[in-house]
Structure formats: structure tokens, C-alpha cells
Amino acid sequence: MTLNETPIRTSRNFLINNIKLENIEIPEQVEEFKNVHIEGIDKISKNITNSKLVYGNGDILEQNIKEMANNKIAINLQSNKDILMTYNFDDDNLNLINQIEVEANSNINTNIIIEYKSTTTKKCFHNGIIKVVAKENSNVNIVVVNLLNEKSTNFEAMENIIYDNANLQYKIIDIGGKESISNYYSNLIGENSKNDLKTIYLGGKNQIKDINYIVELRGEKSFVDIDVQGALKANAKKNFKGTINFKKGCKKAKGNENEFCMLLSDKAKSIALPMLLCTEDDVEGNHGTASGRVDNKQLFYIMSRGLSYNEAVKLIVRANFNKILEKIKNEKLMNEIINEIDNKLN
């Protein structure tokens, strides 16, 4: 299966235009996913628009969701609310194919947490779409957390429309799954619209991460900031593709993207492709990616204080992640994420 295409093709030598996965089993039949915990929603609607994604992970996965979704949630926010959605995978709920749509009306201020985690050691399958519309002057803060077990497959496509003076913030914590493939697309059509995207990824033995972020700026003075921080150990593999596209009409727009990968093993592989595209003048775009090993001077300093090598590495990785983790205001969730990071780094 070939999926998660870049919006612009690059040289084949980069091996990053898409990802090809083998032996991925898409469930042919699914029952209702029942182990869902929801807070902050008085009434749940299942009236999903089913409009075609602009990019997404690919036609096969998108069609799978439209035909077989076993969990649908549509939210039209008329007042300020904090919402929590936790999908708990267990022995009786192994396959989740879901759609989440959020419409934040003008002047709405909301925090939404979407968490996927597993209490089973069996292989789990997740294929989902999250769509968000942030209308004028709204402030929407979304946290998406993947804590699935390391036998599982995780596909997530996120798509956003951001109107005048709206501010959409995403924190994506991508730790779980044997394969975790994510596609993120934002359309900043409004004047002074803002999109802030912060991501943490952590890959261990046999894990594959494929991250494809695409942001199109159309509104005057629109702004996007992408910051991705990751670490890979054992033979983990990661592709990062980040595209900021300045479209006609977005004068005085600004876009930043930065990705840093810490390599904790000689066998870990990291590929990154940052792209800036532009059809407008009077805009500012900045991008950069880097990867490297743990600094030996830092290690020596920390270990001289009595910590072991593993404890020192854990401390350095955690310090790198903390600037994003500390933005998660739910203390219980943050501690859960930190514990999962510590367990994976042991």
C-alpha cells in the first residue's frame, strides 16, 4: 500500500515522496467501538459531512473510513467547553475506524483532547479522520495523543479550515504503534488567521513514523509555526515531510517550520524534507531540520552527577520534549505521556 504523498514530487533519491507499507491488514468487518470515554459533550451527533479530503493518507484509507466507520462524532460548539475523548483499545475493542468533526463558532474558546491508548497486548488497528473548522475570532486548542501498543497500526488524517483572526493550536504526541502514519493539512483562508503545530514523536524497535504536514496560507497576515521534536532508538525509522505553501493573496504572511530528531542508536534512520512554496510576494518563510546524537559533553556532565548512561539519555530527551509537554494543561494526561516516554526509553 502506497500512501501519504507529498504535495510536490521530489527526486526519487530522497525516498520520501510517499511511504510503501507491506502486510497491512485492513479489517473487512468491524463492530461498534464501545470503549470510549467522553467528557464535555452534552449531545453527540453522528451527522458527518463525508467531504473528500484535500490530501489525507490515500484513497484506500479514506474510502475505508467512509464505508466502515464504527465511531462518528460531530461537534458544533456554541459555547466555551473543554472536551475529552479517550478511545481505550482492549481485547473486545481492537479495531477503530473513526471520524471526528469539530466546528468552533465565532468567538469560541475550547480545549479538546483526543487520546488513543491500549490496555491489550493484541494488535490494534486505527484509521481516523479529524476535521476542524475554526470560525472568526475562535481559539481552538487540540491535543492528539497516540499511546497504542507497539504491535498496532495507526493512521490519522487531520484537516483544518481557519477563518479571520482565528487561532488553531495542535499538540500531537505520537509515541505508539508499530506503524504510525499521520497526514496534517491546514487551510488558513482568513486574515490574521493563525496555526500553531507542536509535535513530539518517539520511535523504538521496529517502529515506523511517517509524518506529512501541509499548510496553505491564503489570508493576509496569516501565520503558521510548526515545531517537531523527536527521538529514535533501536532500528526505528522516521520520515518527516513539512510543506508551507504561500498562496496568492497572503501578503505579509509568515511561516516557520523546524524539525529536530535525536538519534539514540546507530541503526535508527531519519529522513526529513522541509519545503517552502510561494506564489505571492511580501511574505516570510523559514525552515530547518536537523538530526544528531546525544551530546557527549552533556552526557559526561550529567553522569558525573551520579546518573547512569540510560538515566542521562532519558533526562536529555525529556528536557528536549518538555517545552511542548508543558503546554498540555491536563496534568493527568501529561503524567501519562511522561510515564510512557520513560518506559520506552528504558
Side-chain angles (χ1 to χ4, degrees):
M1 183 164 54
T2 301
L3 61 158
N4 217 8
E5 298 273 356
T6 54
I8 299 293
R9 304 291 291 182
T10 64
S11 171
R12 290 182 181 178
N13 293 336
F14 288 131
L15 301 176
I16 201 171
N17 287 314
N18 49 48
I19 184 168
K20 297 181 180 180
L21 299 176
E22 298 179 353
N23 303 318
I24 299 297
E25 298 178 5
I26 299 177
E28 296 181 357
Q29 292 183 335
V30 292
E31 299 178 351
E32 180 184 359
F33 193 94
K34 296 181 179 179
N35 200 359
V36 185
H37 176 74
I38 299 176
E39 297 178 9
I41 305 176
D42 298 326
K43 185 178 180 181
I44 298 175
S45 172
K46 297 183 180 180
N47 295 324
I48 300 295
T49 60
N50 266 338
S51 56
K52 184 171 178 56
L53 294 172
V54 178
Y55 291 101
N57 279 318
D59 291 340
I60 294 175
L61 293 173
E62 186 173 348
Q63 195 63 29
N64 171 251
I65 293 171
K66 289 182 177 180
E67 293 178 354
M68 299 183 63
N70 60 352
N71 183 272
K72 299 180 181 182
I73 296 177
I75 307 168
N76 187 294
L77 288 169
Q78 306 285 345
S79 59
N80 298 338
K81 290 185 176 181
D82 289 346
I83 296 170
L84 170 65
M85 289 177 268
T86 304
Y87 294 87
N88 295 288
F89 289 72
D90 57 26
D91 290 348
D92 298 317
N93 296 273
L94 295 173
N95 299 310
L96 172 64
I97 302 172
N98 71 318
Q99 294 171 288
I100 299 172
E101 292 190 357
V102 178
E103 183 173 344
N105 287 285
S106 300
N107 302 302
I108 290 298
N109 192 329
T110 183
N111 298 290
I112 301 173
I113 294 173
I114 304 167
E115 181 183 15
Y116 306 101
K117 61 181 182 179
S118 49
T119 56
T120 178
T121 57
K122 294 181 180 179
K123 182 178 180 180
C124 306
F125 177 87
H126 171 235
N127 182 21
I129 292 174
I130 301 171
K131 289 186 178 182
V132 177
V133 176
K135 292 192 173 179
E136 293 81 0
N137 302 300
S138 62
N139 183 30
V140 182
N141 181 24
I142 296 179
V143 180
V144 181
V145 182
N146 164 26
L147 299 180
L148 296 178
N149 69 45
E150 294 185 7
K151 296 179 182 178
S152 300
T153 299
N154 177 60
F155 298 113
E156 188 87 87
M158 293 155 276
E159 184 168 290
N160 314 296
I161 301 175
I162 309 172
Y163 288 90
D164 292 352
N165 300 301
N167 184 10
L168 176 60
Q169 303 172 60
Y170 261 85
K171 284 87 178 171
I172 300 174
I173 313 299
D174 188 4
I175 298 175
K178 181 179 179 182
E179 303 93 4
S180 186
I181 315 300
S182 56
N183 182 282
Y184 179 99
Y185 168 67
S186 273
N187 184 5
L188 281 73
I189 65 174
E191 183 177 349
N192 290 311
S193 55
K194 295 180 175 63
N195 188 196
D196 185 271
L197 172 57
K198 300 288 187 286
T199 294
I200 288 172
Y201 65 83
L202 179 58
K205 184 178 180 181
N206 297 321
Q207 282 187 287
I208 297 172
K209 305 287 182 184
D210 194 80
I211 302 166
N212 191 3
Y213 292 164
I214 305 160
V215 178
E216 296 177 344
L217 297 97
R218 289 183 167 84
E220 285 192 19
K221 301 178 183 178
S222 52
F223 174 74
V224 62
D225 187 75
I226 300 171
D227 186 16
V228 180
Q229 300 292 324
L232 301 175
K233 58 183 294 188
N235 59 341
K237 298 178 182 179
K238 177 236 61 183
N239 295 332
F240 169 75
K241 298 162 276 190
T243 304
I244 297 177
N245 194 345
F246 295 94
K247 294 288 191 177
K248 200 71 179 173
C250 71
K251 287 185 179 296
K252 299 188 183 301
K254 183 177 179 179
N256 301 318
E257 65 174 320
N258 175 64
E259 190 260 348
F260 177 72
C261 178
M262 191 176 297
L263 298 172
L264 308 178
S265 163
D266 292 337
K267 296 180 180 180
K269 293 183 179 180
S270 171
I271 303 176
L273 176 67
M275 288 196 289
L276 295 177
L277 307 175
C278 188
T279 53
E280 183 59 276
D281 57 12
D282 195 15
V283 298
E284 180 182 342
N286 305 287
H287 68 74
T289 65
S291 61
R293 305 192 186 284
V294 177
D295 187 273
N296 286 329
K297 291 182 180 179
Q298 280 185 306
L299 277 175
F300 177 79
Y301 178 82
I302 295 171
M303 292 173 67
S304 68
R305 268 55 185 173
L307 295 179
S308 68
Y309 174 83
N310 286 338
E311 290 171 331
V313 169
K314 187 186 300 184
L315 192 63
I316 292 171
V317 173
R318 279 271 304 277
N320 203 43
F321 288 173
N322 273 345
K323 63 180 180 179
I324 295 175
L325 289 175
E326 65 188 11
K327 296 180 183 295
I328 298 175
K329 302 306 180 183
N330 185 304
E331 186 175 352
K332 180 181 177 182
L333 176 62
M334 187 171 69
N335 289 333
E336 192 173 1
I337 294 168
I338 290 171
N339 288 336
E340 191 69 22
I341 291 171
D342 286 346
N343 289 337
K344 289 201 70 170
L345 291 174
N346 283 336

